[in-house]
Amino acid sequence: MNTVSQARLVVLRNCKLLAPPFHRHIVKAKLMERNCQVGDRIVIYEVVATEPEGIVQVTSATRFEFK
């Protein structure tokens, strides 16, 4: 059985250059307590890296980095 690790870091890349910065708050809220992995798209952001690698669960302790 595979267990999902808790995410320490999720790195997101903006796919739309002129998007307003408040979308960062929206994507954080949508990811909270959910699983994600590299390649997932949330609103206008794409997950480009996670720590640890693979499928991870986003928690309140997860740090977000936006590129």
Side-chain angles (χ1 to χ4, degrees), residues 11-28:
V11 181
L12 299 145
R13 180 178 58 88
N14 188 346
C15 297
K16 189 174 177 184
L17 296 177
L18 298 176
F22 70 84
H23 281 178
R24 291 179 178 193
H25 298 290
I26 295 169
V27 76
K28 286 180 182 180

Side-chain angles (χ1 to χ4, degrees), residues 6-66:
Q6 290 187 352
R8 290 187 295 275
L9 173 67
V10 174
V11 181
L12 299 145
R13 180 178 58 88
N14 188 346
C15 297
K16 189 174 177 184
L17 296 177
L18 298 176
F22 70 84
H23 281 178
R24 291 179 178 193
H25 298 290
I26 295 169
V27 76
K28 286 180 182 180
K30 285 191 175 280
L31 279 173
M32 201 55 58
E33 304 304 325
R34 299 193 185 252
N35 295 344
C36 71
Q37 63 185 345
V38 172
D40 288 353
R41 283 191 73 165
I42 303 93
V43 187
I44 58 164
Y45 289 93
E46 180 180 5
V47 177
V48 294
T50 62
E51 186 181 306
E53 293 181 351
I55 299 173
V56 294
Q57 181 179 28
V58 177
T59 66
S60 58
T62 302
R63 193 168 48 93
F64 292 91
E65 185 177 308
F66 292 90

